[in-house]
Amino acid sequence: AQSVTQLDSQVPVFEEAPVELRCNYSSSVSVYLFWYVQYPNQGLQLLLKYLSGSTLVKGINGFEAEFNKSQTSFHLRKPSVHISDTAEYFCAVSEPDSGNTPLVFGKGTRLSVIA
Amino acid sequence: DAGVIQSPRHEVTEMGQEVTLRCKPISGHDYLFWYRQTMMRGLELLIYFNNNVPIDDSGMPEDRFSAKMPNASFSTLKIQPSEPRDSAVYFCASSFSIYGYTFGSGTRLTVV
């Protein structure tokens, strides 16, 4: 069964600095990968997804992620963060060839942007 | 489109009382998911439906929890009797395919 590991539970970063949030997954078959963002007191919103094609995926708010099959990773990056990026970020995985199974979410990474 | 609508946004109840959480999915979506979020356990899938039929309820913690989807536009998650350890944020999400989740804003449940 697939699983997701988000290596950092909290990431503090100064405003306008770059950030990388790490995500590794465990699966032996093809995968679909997602990043969601949760702002305080809100539900999760889709940032970006990888289903197939280019391994570099661009999402909303200037975020991008790169699918690396050999390293089973899907790290999220932003070259310059803003205060408004402070939120919790969740990586999720699904195995499309295993039938219609729901997404499996990581435990989340709390990004704190410091002014 | 109003998105996934959950009610109430906040619920405070006493231990032993019945609690009912409600969800209206996006029209046309054929999947509906109930998740629970806590600091300790993160985001846990409780149950999900496809075309109003429960597909997997293995995440439902105990018999005190039950969920129904009587039609395509409404689902409930019921806890009876409630316990303090049920305190959490409960999210409903719907999807047209298994992957295109849209989450509601959640219900914050506090059991005292």
Side-chain angles (χ1 to χ4, degrees), chain A residues 26-114:
Chain A
S26 172
S27 174
S28 59
V29 297
S30 64
V31 293
Y32 289 167
L33 294 157
F34 304 78
W35 276 99
Y36 283 81
V37 60
Q38 183 181 28
Y39 298 105
N41 300 314
Q42 295 186 27
L44 280 70
Q45 302 172 33
L46 181 66
L47 261 183
L48 50 78
K49 61 185 175 186
Y50 169 81
L51 303 183
S52 65
S54 172
T55 57
L56 182 62
V57 180
K58 293 191 183 297
I60 62 172
N61 301 337
F63 284 92
E64 64 181 31
E66 186 154 20
F67 170 53
N68 188 319
K69 187 175 182 179
S70 63
Q71 297 189 9
T72 61
S73 68
F74 191 55
H75 300 334
L76 181 70
R77 303 185 184 99
K78 186 169 183 178
S80 175
V81 295
H82 303 290
I83 295 289
S84 59
D85 293 322
T86 295
E88 185 124 20
Y89 292 80
F90 293 88
C91 182
V93 65
S94 185
E95 295 177 344
D97 296 334
S98 299
N100 288 329
T101 55
L103 298 182
V104 173
F105 287 86
K107 290 192 179 297
T109 297
R110 184 170 299 276
L111 174 64
S112 298
V113 180
I114 305 161

Side-chain angles (χ1 to χ4, degrees), chain A residues 32 34 36 38 41-46 51 88 90 94-97 99-103 105-107 110, chain B residues 9 31 33 35 37 39-43 45 48 50 55 89 91 98-106 108:
Chain A
Y32 289 167
F34 304 78
Y36 283 81
Q38 183 181 28
N41 300 314
Q42 295 186 27
L44 280 70
Q45 302 172 33
L46 181 66
L51 303 183
E88 185 124 20
F90 293 88
S94 185
E95 295 177 344
D97 296 334
N100 288 329
T101 55
L103 298 182
F105 287 86
K107 290 192 179 297
R110 184 170 299 276
Chain B
R9 286 297 309 274
Y31 283 91
F33 307 84
Y35 284 86
Q37 186 178 37
M39 290 290 291
M40 292 294 293
R41 294 175 176 267
L43 206 58
L45 176 64
Y48 76 100
N50 180 218
I55 302 301
V89 181
F91 287 103
I98 192 78
Y99 308 116
Y101 288 32
T102 300
F103 281 80
S105 297
R108 183 175 296 276

Side-chain angles (χ1 to χ4, degrees), chain B residues 44-79:
Chain B
E44 302 173 275
L45 176 64
L46 300 177
I47 185 171
Y48 76 100
F49 297 83
N50 180 218
N51 292 321
N52 313 337
V53 175
I55 302 301
D56 185 353
D57 66 354
S58 60
M60 297 284 261
E62 300 171 32
D63 291 345
R64 299 184 295 106
F65 285 69
S66 63
K68 294 181 179 180
M69 192 166 186
N71 56 62
S73 59
F74 185 64
S75 177
T76 59
L77 178 68
K78 188 172 293 187
I79 308 172

Side-chain angles (χ1 to χ4, degrees), chain A residues 9-28:
Chain A
S9 60
Q10 296 187 61
V11 173
V13 63
F14 286 103
E15 193 175 17
E16 298 184 6
V19 69
E20 178 180 83
L21 306 183
R22 296 180 291 169
C23 171
N24 287 89
Y25 65 91
S26 172
S27 174
S28 59

Side-chain angles (χ1 to χ4, degrees), chain B residues 3-4 23-27 29-33 92-97 100-104:
Chain B
V4 176
C23 176
K24 177 178 169 55
I26 291 174
S27 176
H29 281 189
D30 57 350
Y31 283 91
L32 185 138
F33 307 84
C92 175
S94 71
S95 173
F96 175 65
S97 72
Y101 288 32
T102 300
F103 281 80

